[in-house]
């Protein structure tokens, strides 16, 4: 079933039961006068079509054309247009609601009303975006100190290979800390795999503070930079000679204890590569605590990244002086690779399709050309799987009430056809910044060509924003939402749009500005309500740190000893 069959009234109308005979009979009685007129028009249409086809010797097609014309005339079929090609009637079916990219037409219609709102001096919602309770319920507790006790003798050395981008590497590192704690193993500083998409050759120490990581984990886990000489000699000084255990994704703690630990004890060192998503979400609470501490306590960016990132945050705050230093950050996933991977279509026509085919083949080599693989851009859009364009993000934010004085930071890689697609977003938000405008060319030079280091700069600026907007999912927003919950009393302060609803709204060029604004305000309110969420069974603590990594605060009491919170 396509995604669009679950949405709106269009899907329901296709499956609605036929009207009762009594109703149909009554309706026919009330329309006797119009039937005579319809019959006359049908006869005239038949005479015209018969004459045309008789001249061409194609009289045999006249009945088919007549029936098709009558069905269209009577409204039995829904087609946008009908044409005749080589004597064949071609019927083009109307696209399902939300399946076509019509956002530029909607923007053209709504832009004058956006300007009118600005002229009328509406209140910027940035100052009151979140309805956070006065007394925050949750506080960080992953960094609680532990007594300095001697660690038990290690069972051996664990070597893992972290792959993917910045936050996929982060996930692998934190899970490796948890597995090492589970096995009572000594963790070797993770090796970073050169990913074909991210193409970043950075090592652990280039992105994260290696000394801080080792020292901070010291009371909980042994961490070393490299294997000792005696272990290396055992494997002819070649890490690749160490057996690579193929662990399935989301393996349980029992699997590690039953399958990996015996190998570790026997060989003194084991390797697991790749290591992305190799540990189940549900593990013993002590091991879960190690995960929390690794993510929120032991991992911090390298000094070079932290220094520039802090400068960029300070500059962003100064740019936002009109809004008391508050700004909006947007994780915009409209890079060429993401657009290609999504298999969505925008307004670039054949040129865009050709470019996306090349991009898919370059990064995924035949994955999208496999037999029986069907690409359905319209279904993807209706199902909310298409990356939002800068234009769509801008309209959404303006509809929510963020006016043109709002400072916006865009976290992204190289935007697909940046000059074309970023122009309307800059038109709506003139105070827009990116890392390339917030930092100088000289400051960024040491990070160029290293996507994970650049992503770390984006991550930090987004972390400290008043409002964070996620547009496409992935590890970056998932980790960031969790980190923001950890920092802001349990609330993520994140706009997570309903992209299925947006697809329908952006497909309606006739939508009224008041209706659009109300829909966007409802979406912001929903994001506010979902800002504070507890981790559910099977959920990730990296996105939902409560209750594994955060503690619930006792409710403050007034002078009478009763709780101060209103019930």
């Amino acid at each position: 079933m396509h995604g669009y069959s679950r949405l709106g009234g269009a899907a329901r109308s296709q499956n609605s039961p036929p009207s009762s005979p009594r109703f149909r009979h009554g309706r026919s009685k009330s329309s006797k006068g119009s039937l005579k007129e319809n019959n006359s028009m049908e006869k005239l249409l038949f005479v015209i079509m018969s004459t045309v086809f008789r001249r061409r010797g194609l009289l045999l097609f006249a009945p088919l054309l007549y029936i098709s014309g009558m069905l269209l005339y009577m409204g039995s079929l829904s087609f946008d247009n009908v044409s005749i090609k080589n004597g064949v009637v071609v019927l083009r079916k109307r696209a399902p609601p939300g399946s076509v990219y019509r956002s530029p037409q909607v923007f053209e219609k709504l832009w004058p009303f956006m300007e009118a709102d600005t002229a009328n001096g509406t209140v910027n919602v940035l100052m009151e975006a979140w309805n956070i309770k006065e007394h925050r319920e949750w506080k960080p507790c992953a960094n609680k100190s532990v007594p300095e006790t001697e660690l038990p003798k290690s069972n051996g050395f664990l070597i893992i290979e972290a792959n993917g981008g910045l936050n996929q590497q982060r996930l692998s590192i934190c899970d490796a800390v948890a597995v090492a704690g589970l096995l009572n193993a000594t963790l070797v500083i993770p090796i970073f795999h050169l990913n074909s998409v991210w193409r970043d050759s950075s090592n652990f120490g280039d992105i994260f503070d290696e000394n801080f990581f080792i020292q901070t984990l010291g009371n909980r886990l042994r961490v070393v930079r490299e294997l000792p000489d005696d272990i290396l000699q055992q494997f002819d000084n070649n890490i690749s000679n160490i057996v690579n255990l193929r662990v399935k994704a989301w393996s349980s703690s029992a699997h590690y204890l039953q399958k990996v630990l015996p190998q570790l004890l026997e060989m003194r060192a084991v390797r697991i590569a790749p290591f992305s998503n190799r540990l189940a979400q549900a593990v013993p609470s002590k091991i879960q605590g190690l995960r929390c501490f690794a993510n929120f306590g032991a991992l911090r960016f390298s000094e070079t990244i932290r220094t520039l990132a802090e400068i960029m945050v300070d500059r962003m705050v100064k740019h936002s002086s009109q809004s008391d230093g508050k700004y909006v950050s947007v994780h915009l996933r409209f890079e060429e690779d993401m657009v290609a991977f999504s298999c969505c279509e925008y307004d670039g026509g054949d040129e865009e399709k050709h470019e996306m085919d090349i991009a898919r083949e370059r990064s995924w080599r035949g994955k999208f050309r496999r037999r029986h693989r069907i690409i359905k851009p319209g279904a993807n859009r209706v199902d909310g799987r298409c990356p939002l364009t800068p234009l769509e993000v801008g309209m959404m934010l303006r509809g929510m009430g963020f006016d043109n004085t709002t400072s916006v930071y865009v976290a992204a890689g190289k935007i697909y056809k940046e000059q074309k697609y970023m122009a309307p977003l800059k038109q709506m938000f003139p105070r827009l910044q990116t890392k390339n405008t917030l930092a100088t060319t000289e400051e960024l030079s040491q990070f160029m060509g290293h996507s994970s280091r650049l992503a770390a700069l984006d991550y930090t600026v987004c972390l400290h924003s008043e409002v964070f907007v996620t547009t496409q999912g992935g590890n970056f927003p998932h980790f960031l939402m969790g980190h923001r919950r950890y920092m802001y009393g349990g609330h993520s302060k994140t706009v997570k749009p309903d992209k299925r609803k947006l697809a329908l709204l952006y497909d309606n060029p006739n939508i009224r500005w008041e209706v659009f604004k109300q829909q966007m305000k409802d979406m912001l309110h929903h994001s506010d309500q979902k800002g504070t969420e507890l981790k559910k069974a099977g959920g990730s603590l990296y996105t939902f740190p409560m209750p594994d990594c955060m503690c619930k605060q006792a409710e403050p009491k007034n002078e009478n000893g009763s709780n101060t919170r209103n019930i």
Side-chain angles (χ1 to χ4, degrees):
M1 178 182 292
H2 295 309
Y4 60 76
S5 65
R6 302 193 301 269
L7 298 173
R12 291 191 295 272
S13 64
Q14 292 171 2
N15 298 320
S16 58
S19 56
S20 67
R22 185 163 58 93
F23 178 78
R24 292 199 300 270
H25 179 68
R27 184 172 55 192
S28 63
K29 279 185 177 181
S30 64
S31 56
K32 282 183 178 180
S34 62
L35 285 177
K36 292 181 180 179
E37 183 180 347
N38 289 346
N39 289 335
S40 299
M41 293 184 68
E42 291 172 14
K43 290 178 181 179
L44 178 60
L45 182 62
F46 176 76
V47 171
I48 293 172
M49 292 302 174
S50 298
T51 304
V52 172
F53 277 91
R54 191 179 296 115
R55 288 183 178 181
R56 295 188 177 185
L58 297 174
L59 187 59
L60 291 175
F61 289 97
L64 175 61
L65 184 60
Y66 173 80
I67 294 171
S68 301
M70 289 303 98
L71 288 172
L72 287 170
Y73 178 74
M74 297 171 67
S76 297
L77 294 177
S78 297
F79 294 99
D80 278 339
N81 56 68
V82 183
S83 61
I84 302 174
K85 187 175 183 180
N86 298 327
V88 178
V89 180
V90 180
L91 308 175
R92 292 185 176 86
K93 192 175 182 180
R94 184 179 297 121
S99 62
V100 179
Y101 178 68
R102 293 193 176 98
S103 301
Q105 294 93 311
V106 177
F107 174 63
E108 185 178 356
K109 166 76 182 300
L110 298 183
W111 173 242
F113 299 97
M114 296 182 196
E115 287 191 299
D117 270 4
T118 300
N120 293 334
T122 55
V123 178
N124 190 347
V125 76
L126 179 60
M127 307 306 293
E128 50 186 30
W130 311 117
N131 183 27
I132 301 173
K133 296 176 182 177
E134 182 179 353
H135 304 290
R136 295 176 175 176
E137 291 187 352
W138 297 90
K139 64 179 181 179
C141 58
N143 293 345
K144 288 191 297 186
S145 59
V146 296
E148 293 188 17
T149 56
E150 186 175 349
L151 295 172
K153 182 181 178 181
S154 173
N155 288 328
F157 294 87
L158 174 65
I159 304 160
I160 68 103
E161 188 175 289
N163 55 324
L166 172 68
N167 290 285
Q168 192 170 347
Q169 291 169 337
R170 189 184 191 105
L171 184 150
S172 296
I173 294 165
C174 296
D175 280 0
V177 168
V179 170
L182 178 68
L183 301 178
N184 185 31
T186 300
L187 178 66
V188 180
I189 287 291
I191 301 167
F192 284 1
H193 173 68
L194 182 62
N195 186 273
S196 61
V197 175
W198 288 89
R199 305 182 187 94
D200 188 341
S201 59
S202 299
N203 295 318
F204 185 100
D206 297 321
I207 301 173
F208 299 104
D209 189 330
E210 194 170 288
N211 289 331
F212 183 80
F213 182 73
I214 294 172
Q215 293 169 7
T216 306
L217 283 170
N219 290 344
R220 294 170 170 84
L221 184 75
R222 290 186 179 89
V223 184
V224 296
R225 289 183 174 82
E226 55 188 21
L227 286 172
D229 290 339
D230 61 323
I231 300 294
L232 272 174
Q233 290 172 8
Q234 179 182 334
F235 298 98
D236 298 329
N237 294 310
N238 189 346
I239 288 181
S240 61
N241 288 335
I242 299 175
V243 62
N244 184 16
L245 303 179
R246 295 291 180 175
V247 177
K248 292 181 179 180
W250 311 112
S251 290
S252 66
S253 54
H255 174 84
Y256 281 95
L257 293 172
Q258 295 168 10
K259 301 294 183 181
V260 178
L261 181 58
Q263 300 264 32
L264 178 67
L265 292 170
E266 179 183 348
M267 294 181 288
R268 301 173 64 196
V270 294
R271 184 165 59 100
I272 304 177
F275 191 72
S276 179
N277 300 318
R278 288 301 183 269
L279 179 62
Q281 300 291 355
V283 295
S285 59
K286 182 179 179 181
I287 304 306
Q288 201 77 297
L290 270 177
R291 259 178 169 164
C292 293
F293 184 74
N295 187 45
F296 298 113
L299 269 185
R300 73 180 187 186
F301 293 126
S302 64
E303 184 178 357
T304 54
I305 292 175
R306 290 200 318 276
T307 300
L308 180 56
E310 288 168 5
I311 292 172
M312 291 170 64
V313 170
D314 287 341
R315 289 172 183 170
M316 199 67 208
V317 170
K318 289 177 182 177
H319 281 304
S320 311
S321 57
Q322 273 193 281
S323 52
D324 196 28
K326 297 179 179 180
Y327 60 92
V328 174
S329 63
V330 178
H331 184 223
L332 190 59
R333 295 307 316 272
F334 203 68
E335 302 98 342
E336 184 179 71
D337 282 343
M338 178 53 67
V339 175
F341 186 81
S342 71
C343 297
C344 295
E345 291 180 356
Y346 294 89
D347 56 1
D350 292 336
E351 180 185 353
E352 178 189 300
K353 291 178 182 178
H354 179 65
E355 290 173 348
M356 294 299 100
D357 286 340
I358 293 174
R360 281 190 283 266
E361 188 61 26
R362 179 178 61 244
S363 296
W364 294 282
R365 294 195 183 95
K367 176 177 180 178
F368 294 90
R369 293 187 291 103
R370 291 174 184 167
R371 190 178 180 184
H372 304 309
R373 174 135 197 176
I374 300 174
I375 295 176
K376 297 181 178 179
N380 290 346
R381 180 169 298 282
V382 174
D383 204 32
R385 288 186 283 154
C386 292
L388 293 179
T389 63
L391 169 67
E392 292 172 325
V393 172
M395 284 195 291
M396 177 185 72
L397 290 176
R398 288 297 292 265
M400 288 177 174
F402 298 95
D403 64 23
N404 66 346
T405 67
T406 304
S407 294
V408 176
Y409 180 82
V410 173
K414 182 174 174 55
I415 299 297
Y416 175 59
K417 293 190 175 179
E418 181 174 355
Q419 188 172 0
K420 170 187 175 182
Y421 283 107
M422 286 295 289
L425 180 58
K426 293 177 181 178
Q427 181 180 343
M428 287 181 273
F429 293 99
R431 297 172 178 266
L432 185 143
Q433 301 285 340
T434 66
K435 53 181 167 286
N436 294 314
T437 62
L438 210 54
T440 66
T441 303
E442 292 74 23
E443 288 171 329
L444 289 174
S445 60
Q446 60 183 318
F447 303 100
M448 300 311 292
H450 299 285
S451 57
S452 290
R453 299 186 214 180
L454 291 170
L457 297 174
D458 280 338
Y459 186 98
T460 306
V461 180
C462 290
L463 183 64
H464 294 282
S465 64
E466 176 65 14
V467 176
F468 171 61
V469 182
T470 173
T471 64
Q472 186 58 19
N475 284 313
F476 186 100
H478 289 162
F479 269 85
L480 200 52
M481 282 190 286
H483 205 154
R484 287 167 66 83
R485 284 188 171 105
Y486 192 78
M487 286 182 58
Y488 300 126
H491 197 291
S492 67
K493 294 188 175 184
T494 297
V495 173
K496 192 175 180 183
D498 183 343
K499 292 168 66 179
R500 291 186 176 95
K501 180 180 287 186
L502 285 177
L504 294 173
L505 295 173
Y506 289 147
D507 193 24
N508 180 11
N510 298 317
I511 190 169
R512 291 168 48 237
W513 176 235
E514 292 75 15
V515 174
F516 182 81
K517 279 200 302 185
Q518 188 57 53
Q519 292 286 341
M520 295 303 98
K521 288 176 181 177
D522 290 345
M523 203 172 289
L524 176 60
H525 179 65
H526 182 72
S527 291
D528 185 20
Q529 288 182 316
K530 301 290 284 185
T532 304
E533 282 190 273
L534 298 181
K535 183 173 73 69
K536 299 175 183 176
S540 169
L541 63 78
Y542 303 120
T543 307
F544 305 101
M546 301 96 75
D548 296 286
C549 312
M550 302 184 73
C551 304
K552 197 165 187 178
Q553 299 187 90
E555 295 182 5
K557 299 191 175 182
N558 59 25
E559 295 178 358
N560 298 325
S562 60
N563 293 333
T564 59
R565 182 178 302 160
N566 294 327
I567 298 177

